[in-house]
């Protein structure tokens, strides 16, 4: 299937932009070659945008997002189209994720309008709900924003709104891209008869998708240094891929559910309660009450120590040596180079770059030599506990943005997430946000080229993968503590236990300051008194006492059987 992408230059008319149905038709003709809507429905939706945008024609607005393929498409193709169609001049800036959070934080603290809308991870939902500095979209769409809210927006079609809603039941952010953290592996290597026989002989069970970390470790050991010349591969082979540089992205690698994958958190969907995947505990009023085990948290508990210890061990034993000095973005493309057997912590945001023709991990017919599957879980994990992370980049309107500018930005946010454009945008970036796009026939046709991505998003498994939940009271302040402390463990400056003790203490200091300031009212932190950690470790649920044996019986599953179970 051929995907057409026009250049922005085709859409921008000489001179000032004018709201124009001809521009809309030109855009639909040249760019939208697949959509959940019929052509007549697309034109009707474009006409609605033209009419709703009329009061703002000629206005210049600025929005911002991190730099990933989906947002590049929005910025380079959809933004110029929106300008040509509506007459609203939109500049869509692309910057680093950390920089987006910094700009947002600056606007929150200063009240100055830096951007008219932010694509901001739903990981900040607890922050936005408690500080009340962003427009609550549920009330906005029914109130001041009613005249600029698309009647065809269809909130129920979005798959991530559970993640962008707060405990008050209100929607605070509108998803525009969504990707999961899954297990990635070389399907061709796992199905090679010699590899299968040798693995069976050495470990006594079948080579397959690991269900638990013990099996993952065996597979990592098996492939590291393995001679694959019988498959025509001469490179040095590694059984794991990860990254370890002391950098803000190191924090994401852990806050993005590594502790819950190990089993540190409580049961619950989309996030564990009362203890979440950061190890932060809340009370029945959703007030954060602690991070350290002494206050009922789990950030420095046995499961968390096990999680960090295993990551470091695998990085040292089974991973390309350069990975220890890599960041998230540097490590992302490495599996596509063809000498890595598996990666437990692989973001589907890299799918678009990993299915490019000519890569060593692609077949000549356009199908991948790799697959993605649910990540294995650690020794402390139990059924019903969160097992993976999804990133949900979402449009966020600050209250400090003037109403007319917020309205114009809201129109743009709805345009780039509209049913007219979303199926095509999903094919470009492969970051699904709508059921109507996931289930579009074009993805049925393309599914064998995407290594399990479509099957995952059509399966019931996807609901167990979720972003950071509402237990985190101030994401910008707390997130930076993770990479600094975990970095100390990675470098060997501290043991995992020492690093996590420091991390939970740092988190509690921030929460203590928030409690004293009272800035978050009756939903802000209210820390528990410290007790002997054994009091909490002896209770049911999280935090969990140390297991006598953290090496479970290894378990694998056939990938093809797994896919069949999703399709039932």
């Amino acid at each position: 299937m051929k995907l057409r992408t026009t250049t922005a230059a085709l859409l921008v008319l000489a001179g000032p932009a004018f709201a124009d149905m001809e521009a809309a038709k030109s855009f639909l003709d040249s760019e939208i070659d697949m959509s959940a809507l019929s052509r007549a429905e697309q034109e009707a939706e474009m006409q609605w945008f033209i009419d709703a945008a009329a009061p703002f024609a000629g206005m210049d607005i600025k929005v911002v997002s991190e730099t990933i393929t989906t947002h590049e498409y929005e910025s380079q193709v959809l933004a110029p189209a929106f300008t040509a169609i509506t007459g609203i001049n939109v500049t869509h800036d692309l910057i680093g994720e950390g920089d987006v959070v910094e700009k947002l934080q600056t606007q929150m603290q200063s009240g100055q309008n830096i951007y008219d809308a932010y694509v901001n991870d739903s990981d900040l939902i607890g922050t936005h709900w408690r500080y009340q500095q962003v427009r609550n979209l549920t009330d906005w769409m029914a109130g001041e924003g009613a005249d600029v809210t698309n009647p065809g927006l269809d909130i129920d079609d979005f798959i991530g709104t559970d993640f962008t809603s707060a405990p008050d039941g209100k929607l605070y952010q509108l998803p525009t891209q969504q990707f999961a953290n899954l297990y990635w592996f070389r399907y061709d290597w796992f199905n090679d008869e010699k590899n299968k026989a040798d693995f069976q002989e050495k470990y006594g069970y079948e080579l397959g998708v690991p269900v638990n970390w013990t099996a993952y470790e065996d597979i990592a050991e098996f492939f590291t240094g393995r001679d694959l010349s019988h498959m025509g591969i001469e490179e040095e082979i590694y059984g794991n891929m990860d990254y370890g540089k002391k950098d803000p992205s190191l924090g994401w690698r852990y806050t993005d559910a590594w502790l819950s994958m190990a089993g540190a958190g409580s049961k619950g969907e989309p996030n564990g309660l009362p203890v979440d995947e950061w190890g932060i505990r809340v009370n029945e009023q959703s007030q954060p009450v602690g991070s350290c085990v002494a206050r009922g948290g789990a950030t420095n508990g046995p499961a968390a120590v096990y999680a960090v210890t295993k990551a470091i061990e695998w990085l040292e034993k089974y991973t390309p040596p350069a990975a220890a000095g890599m960041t998230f973005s540097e490590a992302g493309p490495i599996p596509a180079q063809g000498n890595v057997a598996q990666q437990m912590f692989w973001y589907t945001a890299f799918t678009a770059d990993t299915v490019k023709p000519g890569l060593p991990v692609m077949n000549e017919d356009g199908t991948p030599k790799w697959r993605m599957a649910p990540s294995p879980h650690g020794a402390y994990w139990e059924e019903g506990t969160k097992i993976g992370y999804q990133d949900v980049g979402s449009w966020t309107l600050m209250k400090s943005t003037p109403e007319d500018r917020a309205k114009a930005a809201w129109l743009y946010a709805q345009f780039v997430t509209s049913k007219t454009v979303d199926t095509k945008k999903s094919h470009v970036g492969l970051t699904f946000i709508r059921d109507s796009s996931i289930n579009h026939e074009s993805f049925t046709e393309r599914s064998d080229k995407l290594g399990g991505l479509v099957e995952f998003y059509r399966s019931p498994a996807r609901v167990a993968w979720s972003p950071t939940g509402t237990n985190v009271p101030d994401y910008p302040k707390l997130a930076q503590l993770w990479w600094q402390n975990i970095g100390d463990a990675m470098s060997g400056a501290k043991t995992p236990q020492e690093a996590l003790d420091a991390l939970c203490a740092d988190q509690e200091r921030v929460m203590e300051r928030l409690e004293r300031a009272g800035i978050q009212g009756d939903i802000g932190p209210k820390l528990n008194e410290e007790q002997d950690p054994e009091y909490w470790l002896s209770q049911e649920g999280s935090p969990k006492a140390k297991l006598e044996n953290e090496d479970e019986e290894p378990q694998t599953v056939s990938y093809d059987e797994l896919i069949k179970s999703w399709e039932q």
Side-chain angles (χ1 to χ4, degrees):
M1 178 176 54
K2 186 168 180 287
L3 300 181
R4 300 195 314 267
T5 300
T6 63
T7 60
L10 293 175
L11 294 164
V12 179
L13 308 175
F18 296 99
D20 187 356
M21 194 60 197
E22 287 309 307
K25 289 179 178 177
S26 173
F27 166 66
L28 297 176
D29 288 342
S30 60
E31 185 59 30
I32 305 301
D33 47 356
M34 57 196 80
S35 174
L37 301 183
S38 68
R39 175 60 184 243
E41 290 169 330
Q42 294 169 35
E43 290 190 13
E45 187 160 65
M46 292 300 100
Q47 186 64 58
W48 179 86
F49 277 106
I50 291 168
D51 295 342
F56 313 101
M59 180 182 282
D60 296 310
I61 62 166
K62 283 181 69 176
V63 304
V64 69
S65 69
E66 65 174 303
T67 309
I68 64 171
T69 303
T70 298
H71 298 318
E72 288 173 348
Y73 180 71
E74 291 169 342
S75 176
Q76 296 163 14
V77 176
L78 299 182
F82 177 79
T83 293
I85 293 165
T86 66
I88 298 170
N89 301 301
V90 59
T91 300
H92 184 150
D93 286 347
L94 301 172
I95 61 179
E97 183 183 2
D99 296 328
V100 174
V101 174
E102 187 182 326
K103 298 284 187 192
L104 183 79
Q105 196 174 18
T106 301
Q107 184 157 339
M108 286 173 65
Q109 291 169 348
S110 69
Q112 293 181 325
N113 188 51
I114 301 171
Y115 283 101
D116 301 307
Y118 291 81
V119 175
N120 172 226
D121 281 0
S122 72
D123 296 335
L124 278 87
I125 183 66
T127 308
H128 294 326
W129 171 55
R130 289 186 176 89
Y131 280 115
Q132 290 293 307
Q133 288 202 32
V134 307
R135 285 174 163 91
N136 147 3
L137 296 178
T138 301
D139 294 347
W140 161 259
M141 289 186 289
E144 312 96 280
D147 57 332
V148 286
T149 296
N150 179 5
L153 181 59
D154 192 2
I155 291 292
D156 291 342
D157 190 42
F158 286 80
I159 63 172
T161 52
D162 281 355
F163 310 143
T164 59
S165 299
D168 61 5
K170 307 285 189 179
L171 184 74
Y172 283 81
Q173 300 171 282
L174 184 73
T176 192
Q177 53 87 353
Q178 187 166 331
F179 56 87
N181 163 13
L182 296 176
Y183 170 73
W184 182 98
F185 71 105
R186 285 297 296 267
Y187 181 76
D188 56 339
W189 296 359
F190 279 47
N191 282 305
D192 173 72
E193 291 303 325
K194 178 170 170 46
N195 291 343
K196 286 162 67 174
D198 288 354
F199 187 89
Q200 177 79 46
E201 183 180 352
K202 182 172 184 179
Y203 296 99
Y205 62 97
E206 288 189 8
L207 177 60
V209 174
V211 174
N212 54 25
W213 285 13
T214 317
Y216 182 87
E217 189 170 299
D218 285 347
I219 295 166
E221 179 187 66
F222 174 75
F223 277 109
T224 299
R226 182 166 173 77
D227 180 358
L228 292 181
S229 57
H230 70 282
M231 298 185 74
I233 297 164
E234 301 300 334
E235 293 97 332
E236 181 80 8
I237 301 303
Y238 296 94
N240 178 57
M241 184 59 206
D242 208 334
Y243 60 98
K245 185 175 181 179
K246 196 170 185 179
D247 171 84
S249 66
L250 183 63
W252 312 335
R253 188 245 178 279
Y254 286 88
T255 59
D256 291 358
W258 187 246
L259 270 57
S260 76
M261 291 162 71
S266 301
K267 293 181 182 180
E269 292 177 354
N271 287 281
L273 285 173
V275 181
D276 73 351
E277 69 277 17
W278 288 42
I280 295 174
R281 187 183 197 92
V282 294
N283 62 20
E284 290 179 355
Q285 287 75 48
S286 292
Q287 295 174 295
V289 295
S291 175
C292 299
V293 175
R295 299 188 203 267
T299 310
N300 65 333
V305 172
Y306 157 81
V308 175
T309 301
K310 282 297 180 190
I312 294 171
E313 184 183 330
W314 297 338
L315 188 66
E316 291 172 347
K317 288 184 176 179
Y318 311 123
T319 312
M326 286 183 178
T327 64
F328 160 80
S329 55
E330 291 164 344
I334 299 298
Q337 295 176 6
N339 66 334
V340 171
Q342 58 174 359
Q343 181 170 345
M344 190 189 302
F345 194 88
W346 187 80
Y347 287 104
T348 63
F350 293 119
T351 307
D353 290 327
T354 313
V355 295
K356 289 179 177 174
L359 288 172
V361 294
M362 293 297 290
N363 295 310
E364 287 185 11
D365 65 358
T367 59
K369 297 176 181 178
W370 53 267
R371 298 289 188 274
M372 58 185 84
S375 298
H377 49 68
Y380 291 84
W381 189 88
E382 50 194 334
E383 198 68 45
T385 306
K386 174 173 175 168
I387 194 174
Y389 171 84
Q390 282 195 73
D391 183 291
V392 184
S394 307
W395 288 105
T396 308
L397 302 176
M398 303 297 292
K399 287 182 178 176
S400 50
T401 300
E403 188 171 301
D404 59 340
R405 304 186 68 81
K407 284 186 172 185
W410 178 235
L411 285 168
Y412 175 67
Q414 293 173 96
F415 179 81
V416 301
T417 58
S418 65
K419 282 187 178 177
T420 291
V421 308
D422 187 67
T423 301
K424 175 59 185 286
K425 187 177 90 168
S426 297
H427 274 286
V428 175
L430 301 174
T431 55
F432 295 114
I433 57 168
R434 285 184 176 272
D435 260 324
S436 56
S437 293
I438 294 166
N439 292 304
H440 193 265
E441 59 186 14
S442 60
F443 277 110
T444 302
E445 294 169 12
R446 196 183 174 194
S447 64
D448 68 335
K449 308 287 198 297
L450 297 177
L453 180 69
V454 174
E455 289 85 350
F456 172 77
Y457 270 102
R458 287 180 176 178
S459 81
R462 79 168 189 228
V463 300
W465 275 250
S466 56
T468 296
T470 56
N471 290 21
V472 179
D474 191 319
Y475 185 96
K477 287 191 177 75
L478 294 174
Q480 62 188 321
L481 305 175
W482 283 72
W483 66 271
Q484 294 163 358
N485 285 292
I486 298 286
D488 288 341
M490 284 279 165
S491 68
K494 291 181 179 176
T495 66
Q497 183 71 69
E498 289 167 344
L500 292 168
D501 286 344
L503 171 59
C504 76
D506 285 348
Q507 292 208 117
E508 289 187 347
R509 273 192 284 276
V510 171
M511 290 192 276
E512 280 173 342
R513 289 200 296 273
L514 290 173
E515 182 177 0
R516 280 200 308 272
I519 196 168
Q520 296 182 337
D522 60 4
I523 52 176
K526 187 177 181 180
L527 293 183
N528 286 336
E529 291 296 320
E530 290 187 345
Q531 300 195 61
D532 183 332
E534 288 306 314
Y535 166 79
W536 289 103
L537 293 172
S538 63
Q539 306 275 338
E540 188 75 20
S542 183
K544 299 166 184 176
K546 184 172 173 60
L547 294 170
E548 286 186 23
N549 179 14
E550 292 178 333
D551 291 322
E552 294 178 275
E553 186 72 24
Q555 185 182 352
T556 57
V557 63
S558 155
Y559 178 77
D560 298 312
E561 291 302 315
L562 176 70
I563 291 293
K564 282 179 190 169
S565 74
W566 280 354
E567 292 169 349
Q568 287 172 2

